[in-house]
Short mmCIF file of all heavy atoms in Angstrom, two decimals:
data_model
loop_
_atom_site.label_atom_id
_atom_site.label_comp_id
_atom_site.label_asym_id
_atom_site.label_seq_id
_atom_site.Cartn_x
_atom_site.Cartn_y
_atom_site.Cartn_z
N ARG A 19 -7.17 -22.57 34.75
CA ARG A 19 -7.75 -22.22 36.04
C ARG A 19 -7.32 -23.24 37.10
O ARG A 19 -7.50 -24.43 36.92
CB ARG A 19 -9.27 -22.17 35.94
CG ARG A 19 -9.96 -21.68 37.21
CD ARG A 19 -11.48 -21.72 37.05
NE ARG A 19 -11.91 -20.85 35.99
CZ ARG A 19 -12.24 -19.57 36.15
NH1 ARG A 19 -12.19 -19.03 37.34
NH2 ARG A 19 -12.64 -18.85 35.12
N PRO A 20 -6.77 -22.77 38.22
CA PRO A 20 -6.41 -23.70 39.29
C PRO A 20 -7.65 -24.45 39.80
O PRO A 20 -8.76 -23.90 39.81
CB PRO A 20 -5.85 -22.80 40.40
CG PRO A 20 -5.47 -21.54 39.69
CD PRO A 20 -6.42 -21.39 38.54
N VAL A 21 -7.46 -25.69 40.19
CA VAL A 21 -8.57 -26.53 40.64
C VAL A 21 -9.35 -25.86 41.76
O VAL A 21 -10.59 -25.89 41.78
CB VAL A 21 -8.04 -27.91 41.11
CG1 VAL A 21 -9.15 -28.75 41.72
CG2 VAL A 21 -7.38 -28.64 39.96
N GLU A 22 -8.65 -25.20 42.68
CA GLU A 22 -9.35 -24.57 43.81
C GLU A 22 -10.20 -23.38 43.38
O GLU A 22 -11.04 -22.89 44.14
CB GLU A 22 -8.36 -24.15 44.91
CG GLU A 22 -7.37 -23.07 44.51
CD GLU A 22 -6.09 -23.60 43.86
OE1 GLU A 22 -6.04 -24.78 43.45
OE2 GLU A 22 -5.14 -22.80 43.76
N LEU A 23 -10.03 -22.91 42.15
CA LEU A 23 -10.84 -21.81 41.65
C LEU A 23 -11.82 -22.26 40.57
O LEU A 23 -12.36 -21.44 39.83
CB LEU A 23 -9.93 -20.71 41.09
CG LEU A 23 -8.97 -20.06 42.09
CD1 LEU A 23 -8.07 -19.05 41.39
CD2 LEU A 23 -9.73 -19.42 43.24
N ALA A 24 -12.06 -23.56 40.50
CA ALA A 24 -12.97 -24.09 39.48
C ALA A 24 -14.36 -23.48 39.64
O ALA A 24 -14.83 -23.23 40.75
CB ALA A 24 -13.05 -25.61 39.61
N ARG A 25 -14.99 -23.23 38.51
CA ARG A 25 -16.35 -22.69 38.54
C ARG A 25 -17.31 -23.75 39.03
O ARG A 25 -17.20 -24.92 38.68
CB ARG A 25 -16.76 -22.23 37.14
CG ARG A 25 -16.04 -21.01 36.71
CD ARG A 25 -16.59 -20.50 35.41
NE ARG A 25 -15.93 -19.26 35.08
CZ ARG A 25 -16.19 -18.55 34.01
NH1 ARG A 25 -17.10 -18.97 33.17
NH2 ARG A 25 -15.57 -17.44 33.77
N THR A 26 -18.25 -23.30 39.83
CA THR A 26 -19.29 -24.20 40.32
C THR A 26 -20.63 -23.52 40.09
O THR A 26 -20.70 -22.33 39.84
CB THR A 26 -19.12 -24.50 41.82
OG1 THR A 26 -19.18 -23.26 42.55
CG2 THR A 26 -17.79 -25.18 42.10
N GLY A 27 -21.68 -24.29 40.16
CA GLY A 27 -23.01 -23.71 39.99
C GLY A 27 -23.45 -23.72 38.55
O GLY A 27 -22.87 -24.38 37.69
N SER A 28 -24.47 -22.95 38.28
CA SER A 28 -25.10 -22.99 36.96
C SER A 28 -24.70 -21.80 36.09
O SER A 28 -25.45 -21.38 35.23
CB SER A 28 -26.62 -23.02 37.11
OG SER A 28 -27.05 -21.84 37.79
N GLY A 29 -23.50 -21.27 36.31
CA GLY A 29 -23.04 -20.14 35.50
C GLY A 29 -22.77 -20.56 34.08
O GLY A 29 -22.99 -21.69 33.68
N ARG A 30 -22.29 -19.64 33.31
CA ARG A 30 -21.99 -19.89 31.90
C ARG A 30 -20.96 -21.00 31.78
O ARG A 30 -19.86 -20.91 32.30
CB ARG A 30 -21.46 -18.63 31.26
CG ARG A 30 -21.29 -18.73 29.77
CD ARG A 30 -20.66 -17.48 29.28
NE ARG A 30 -19.28 -17.49 29.75
CZ ARG A 30 -18.26 -17.02 29.05
NH1 ARG A 30 -18.46 -16.47 27.90
NH2 ARG A 30 -17.03 -17.07 29.52
N ALA A 31 -21.32 -22.03 31.12
CA ALA A 31 -20.40 -23.15 30.92
C ALA A 31 -19.39 -22.81 29.84
O ALA A 31 -19.69 -22.10 28.89
CB ALA A 31 -21.19 -24.40 30.53
N GLY A 32 -18.19 -23.35 29.99
CA GLY A 32 -17.18 -23.15 28.97
C GLY A 32 -17.53 -23.94 27.72
O GLY A 32 -18.28 -24.92 27.76
N MET A 33 -17.00 -23.50 26.61
CA MET A 33 -17.22 -24.21 25.36
C MET A 33 -16.03 -23.98 24.45
O MET A 33 -15.28 -23.03 24.64
CB MET A 33 -18.51 -23.77 24.69
CG MET A 33 -18.51 -22.34 24.18
SD MET A 33 -20.06 -21.82 23.45
CE MET A 33 -21.00 -21.44 24.91
N THR A 34 -15.89 -24.83 23.49
CA THR A 34 -14.81 -24.67 22.53
C THR A 34 -15.21 -23.64 21.49
O THR A 34 -16.39 -23.27 21.36
CB THR A 34 -14.50 -26.00 21.83
OG1 THR A 34 -15.63 -26.35 21.01
CG2 THR A 34 -14.19 -27.11 22.82
N PHE A 35 -14.24 -23.22 20.70
CA PHE A 35 -14.51 -22.30 19.61
C PHE A 35 -15.54 -22.90 18.66
O PHE A 35 -16.50 -22.23 18.26
CB PHE A 35 -13.22 -21.98 18.85
CG PHE A 35 -13.46 -21.15 17.61
CD1 PHE A 35 -13.62 -19.79 17.71
CD2 PHE A 35 -13.56 -21.75 16.38
CE1 PHE A 35 -13.88 -19.03 16.58
CE2 PHE A 35 -13.81 -21.00 15.24
CZ PHE A 35 -13.96 -19.63 15.34
N ASP A 36 -15.34 -24.17 18.29
CA ASP A 36 -16.26 -24.83 17.35
C ASP A 36 -17.68 -24.92 17.91
O ASP A 36 -18.65 -24.76 17.17
CB ASP A 36 -15.74 -26.21 16.97
CG ASP A 36 -14.49 -26.12 16.10
OD1 ASP A 36 -14.32 -25.11 15.38
OD2 ASP A 36 -13.68 -27.08 16.14
N GLU A 37 -17.80 -25.15 19.23
CA GLU A 37 -19.13 -25.21 19.84
C GLU A 37 -19.80 -23.84 19.81
O GLU A 37 -20.99 -23.74 19.50
CB GLU A 37 -19.02 -25.71 21.29
CG GLU A 37 -18.67 -27.18 21.41
CD GLU A 37 -18.32 -27.59 22.82
OE1 GLU A 37 -17.89 -26.74 23.63
OE2 GLU A 37 -18.48 -28.79 23.12
N LEU A 38 -19.05 -22.80 20.11
CA LEU A 38 -19.61 -21.44 20.05
C LEU A 38 -20.05 -21.10 18.64
O LEU A 38 -21.15 -20.60 18.42
CB LEU A 38 -18.59 -20.42 20.54
CG LEU A 38 -19.01 -18.96 20.40
CD1 LEU A 38 -20.24 -18.67 21.25
CD2 LEU A 38 -17.88 -18.02 20.75
N LYS A 39 -19.19 -21.38 17.67
CA LYS A 39 -19.52 -21.10 16.27
C LYS A 39 -20.77 -21.86 15.85
O LYS A 39 -21.68 -21.28 15.23
CB LYS A 39 -18.34 -21.49 15.38
CG LYS A 39 -18.53 -21.17 13.92
CD LYS A 39 -17.25 -21.48 13.14
CE LYS A 39 -17.39 -21.15 11.69
NZ LYS A 39 -17.97 -22.22 10.90
N ALA A 40 -20.87 -23.12 16.22
CA ALA A 40 -22.05 -23.93 15.86
C ALA A 40 -23.31 -23.37 16.52
O ALA A 40 -24.37 -23.31 15.88
CB ALA A 40 -21.83 -25.38 16.27
N ARG A 41 -23.21 -22.95 17.77
CA ARG A 41 -24.38 -22.38 18.45
C ARG A 41 -24.84 -21.08 17.79
O ARG A 41 -26.03 -20.84 17.64
CB ARG A 41 -24.07 -22.12 19.92
CG ARG A 41 -24.03 -23.36 20.76
CD ARG A 41 -23.86 -23.01 22.22
NE ARG A 41 -23.69 -24.19 23.03
CZ ARG A 41 -23.63 -24.18 24.34
NH1 ARG A 41 -23.69 -23.03 25.00
NH2 ARG A 41 -23.48 -25.30 25.01
N MET A 42 -23.88 -20.25 17.41
CA MET A 42 -24.24 -18.99 16.75
C MET A 42 -24.88 -19.25 15.40
O MET A 42 -25.87 -18.60 15.05
CB MET A 42 -23.00 -18.10 16.62
CG MET A 42 -22.49 -17.59 17.96
SD MET A 42 -21.05 -16.53 17.79
CE MET A 42 -21.79 -15.08 17.05
N GLU A 43 -24.34 -20.20 14.65
CA GLU A 43 -24.93 -20.53 13.35
C GLU A 43 -26.32 -21.12 13.52
O GLU A 43 -27.24 -20.79 12.76
CB GLU A 43 -24.01 -21.50 12.60
CG GLU A 43 -22.74 -20.83 12.11
CD GLU A 43 -21.71 -21.80 11.56
OE1 GLU A 43 -21.75 -23.01 11.90
OE2 GLU A 43 -20.84 -21.33 10.80
N ALA A 44 -26.50 -21.96 14.53
CA ALA A 44 -27.82 -22.55 14.80
C ALA A 44 -28.84 -21.49 15.18
O ALA A 44 -30.03 -21.64 14.93
CB ALA A 44 -27.71 -23.61 15.91
N ALA A 45 -28.35 -20.39 15.76
CA ALA A 45 -29.24 -19.28 16.13
C ALA A 45 -29.50 -18.35 14.95
O ALA A 45 -30.19 -17.34 15.09
CB ALA A 45 -28.63 -18.50 17.30
N GLY A 46 -28.94 -18.67 13.78
CA GLY A 46 -29.22 -17.88 12.59
C GLY A 46 -28.22 -16.79 12.29
O GLY A 46 -28.45 -15.96 11.40
N HIS A 47 -27.11 -16.75 12.99
CA HIS A 47 -26.09 -15.72 12.74
C HIS A 47 -25.16 -16.15 11.63
O HIS A 47 -24.79 -17.31 11.52
CB HIS A 47 -25.27 -15.46 14.01
CG HIS A 47 -26.06 -14.88 15.13
ND1 HIS A 47 -26.44 -13.56 15.17
CD2 HIS A 47 -26.57 -15.46 16.25
CE1 HIS A 47 -27.14 -13.35 16.26
NE2 HIS A 47 -27.23 -14.49 16.94
N ASP A 48 -24.78 -15.20 10.79
CA ASP A 48 -23.77 -15.43 9.77
C ASP A 48 -22.43 -15.25 10.45
O ASP A 48 -22.00 -14.13 10.71
CB ASP A 48 -23.94 -14.44 8.62
CG ASP A 48 -22.88 -14.61 7.55
OD1 ASP A 48 -22.32 -15.72 7.43
OD2 ASP A 48 -22.60 -13.62 6.86
N VAL A 49 -21.77 -16.33 10.77
CA VAL A 49 -20.55 -16.28 11.56
C VAL A 49 -19.33 -16.11 10.66
O VAL A 49 -19.08 -16.94 9.79
CB VAL A 49 -20.40 -17.56 12.42
CG1 VAL A 49 -19.11 -17.52 13.22
CG2 VAL A 49 -21.60 -17.74 13.33
N GLN A 50 -18.63 -15.02 10.88
CA GLN A 50 -17.38 -14.78 10.17
C GLN A 50 -16.24 -15.19 11.08
O GLN A 50 -16.25 -14.90 12.27
CB GLN A 50 -17.25 -13.29 9.83
CG GLN A 50 -18.37 -12.74 8.97
CD GLN A 50 -18.40 -13.38 7.59
OE1 GLN A 50 -17.35 -13.54 6.98
NE2 GLN A 50 -19.57 -13.75 7.14
N VAL A 51 -15.26 -15.87 10.52
CA VAL A 51 -14.09 -16.28 11.29
C VAL A 51 -12.90 -15.46 10.80
O VAL A 51 -12.63 -15.40 9.59
CB VAL A 51 -13.81 -17.79 11.13
CG1 VAL A 51 -12.53 -18.18 11.87
CG2 VAL A 51 -14.99 -18.60 11.65
N ALA A 52 -12.22 -14.81 11.71
CA ALA A 52 -11.09 -13.96 11.36
C ALA A 52 -9.92 -14.81 10.88
O ALA A 52 -9.66 -15.89 11.41
CB ALA A 52 -10.67 -13.13 12.57
N ASP A 53 -9.23 -14.30 9.90
CA ASP A 53 -7.99 -14.90 9.43
C ASP A 53 -6.89 -14.36 10.35
O ASP A 53 -6.49 -13.20 10.23
CB ASP A 53 -7.74 -14.52 7.98
CG ASP A 53 -6.45 -15.08 7.41
OD1 ASP A 53 -5.47 -15.26 8.17
OD2 ASP A 53 -6.42 -15.34 6.19
N LEU A 54 -6.40 -15.18 11.26
CA LEU A 54 -5.46 -14.72 12.27
C LEU A 54 -4.13 -14.27 11.67
O LEU A 54 -3.53 -13.31 12.17
CB LEU A 54 -5.23 -15.80 13.33
CG LEU A 54 -6.47 -16.16 14.16
CD1 LEU A 54 -6.10 -17.21 15.19
CD2 LEU A 54 -7.09 -14.95 14.81
N ASP A 55 -3.68 -14.90 10.61
CA ASP A 55 -2.43 -14.47 9.98
C ASP A 55 -2.59 -13.08 9.36
O ASP A 55 -1.72 -12.22 9.51
CB ASP A 55 -1.99 -15.47 8.91
CG ASP A 55 -1.52 -16.79 9.50
OD1 ASP A 55 -1.03 -16.79 10.65
OD2 ASP A 55 -1.64 -17.83 8.82
N GLU A 56 -3.70 -12.86 8.68
CA GLU A 56 -3.95 -11.54 8.07
C GLU A 56 -4.11 -10.49 9.17
O GLU A 56 -3.60 -9.38 9.05
CB GLU A 56 -5.21 -11.62 7.19
CG GLU A 56 -5.49 -10.35 6.40
CD GLU A 56 -6.25 -9.31 7.19
OE1 GLU A 56 -7.07 -9.68 8.05
OE2 GLU A 56 -6.02 -8.11 6.94
N LEU A 57 -4.81 -10.84 10.25
CA LEU A 57 -5.00 -9.91 11.35
C LEU A 57 -3.66 -9.57 12.00
O LEU A 57 -3.40 -8.41 12.33
CB LEU A 57 -5.97 -10.50 12.38
CG LEU A 57 -6.40 -9.58 13.51
CD1 LEU A 57 -7.05 -8.31 12.98
CD2 LEU A 57 -7.36 -10.32 14.44
#
């Protein structure tokens, strides 16, 4: 994202894949991770 288009305010913050996976697991979801080579 170009600097001039940076998100501001209290919108959804970006996160890494590992952060998203950890949040979903903490919420009680059984998180499946796709095998990208097989896909």
Side-chain angles (χ1 to χ4, degrees):
R19 185 182 298 270
V21 174
E22 65 272 15
L23 298 176
R25 289 187 176 181
T26 60
S28 61
R30 187 185 71 143
M33 68 182 80
T34 67
F35 173 81
D36 290 333
E37 289 169 335
L38 174 63
K39 183 175 181 274
R41 285 186 186 186
M42 292 181 71
E43 288 171 339
H47 295 283
D48 178 25
V49 179
Q50 301 295 317
V51 176
D53 179 329
L54 296 182
D55 290 332
E56 186 275 328
L57 187 57

